[in-house]
Amino acid sequence: MSLNYFKRFRMEIDLTGRDFSRFALPSGYRLVAWDPGLVDLHGEIKYLSFRGELDSNVFPCLGELTGCLRLMNEISQKPGFMPGATWLIAHVPAGQQQYDYCGTIQGVCDRTGMGAIQNLGVLLEHRCHGLGAILMQKALEGFQRAGIRQAFLEVTAQNEGAIRLYRRLGFRKARTVYKVVEVAYS
């Protein structure tokens, strides 16, 4: 076994006085509020969003469907789980009634009273439509509605696109942390 160290940033945002309610969903997309019956769907979309991505190396459970299903069930059972900060995005192809889910976000209130973004994932083929920003805004709005004044997340330092998005939404780097991952010799 060897150890890999992944540099990550803890980013924080002050929610006071911010308006996260103004966004426009692209045509053919709709937001889906939390429902306990959707827990496995959140896990599946999490898996489809993160498999093969850098974060599935940092958190190996993100690269496995069973790991994502277990993680989503654990998140939804946490004492601070925030249904109002947990969303899916669905895509309805033109001329069809059936829709496909393509993005997910989850939020919890940590023991200090801050909102904590657990995961934000959008399927590769649906990226670059602003869906990640919309999911994040809905989660932050959910924190605000619950009276939470600050929120944070962690992001792998190499994930430059996510960092740009978070900065654009008002997050600032608070500190650098390192995630240690054991890697088996091959």
Side-chain angles (χ1 to χ4, degrees), residues 6-166:
F6 290 94
K7 183 177 182 180
R8 294 176 54 80
F9 300 133
R10 177 180 165 123
M11 299 183 78
E12 298 179 358
I13 186 170
D14 182 350
L15 302 175
T16 309
R18 293 185 185 265
D19 182 3
F20 296 109
S21 65
R22 296 184 186 167
F23 58 84
L25 271 169
S27 178
Y29 290 92
R30 72 180 191 93
L31 285 159
V32 180
W34 168 255
D35 180 285
L38 299 174
V39 67
D40 286 345
L41 189 55
H42 276 271
E44 180 183 344
I45 300 306
K46 185 187 304 288
Y47 164 69
L48 294 172
S49 298
F50 285 100
R51 69 178 175 180
E53 298 287 337
L54 174 63
D55 280 342
S56 67
N57 294 320
V58 180
F59 300 98
C61 68
L62 294 176
E64 302 170 356
L65 178 57
T66 56
C68 288
L69 294 172
R70 184 182 67 250
L71 178 60
M72 192 57 221
N73 276 285
E74 289 171 3
I75 290 169
S76 68
Q77 297 302 312
K78 284 185 175 189
F81 176 68
M82 303 277 312
T86 302
W87 293 86
L88 286 165
I89 285 190
H91 178 245
V92 184
Q96 295 185 17
Q97 301 292 332
Q98 191 79 11
Y99 47 85
D100 301 313
Y101 293 93
C102 58
T104 180
I105 193 166
Q106 305 87 49
V108 299
C109 180
D110 77 355
R111 61 184 173 273
T112 69
M114 288 182 71
I117 298 296
Q118 297 299 287
N119 301 107
L120 167 61
V122 175
L123 273 60
L124 183 61
E125 59 270 24
H126 292 276
R127 293 179 189 166
C128 300
H129 296 291
L131 302 178
I134 291 168
L135 283 166
M136 183 63 74
Q137 289 172 315
K138 287 300 290 182
L140 296 175
E141 181 183 38
F143 289 148
Q144 283 179 322
R145 288 177 188 233
I148 295 172
R149 296 179 182 203
Q150 288 190 300
F152 72 94
L153 54 80
E154 284 189 9
V155 60
T156 304
Q158 294 169 284
N159 194 343
E160 295 172 1
I163 293 168
R164 278 192 305 276
L165 167 65
Y166 303 149

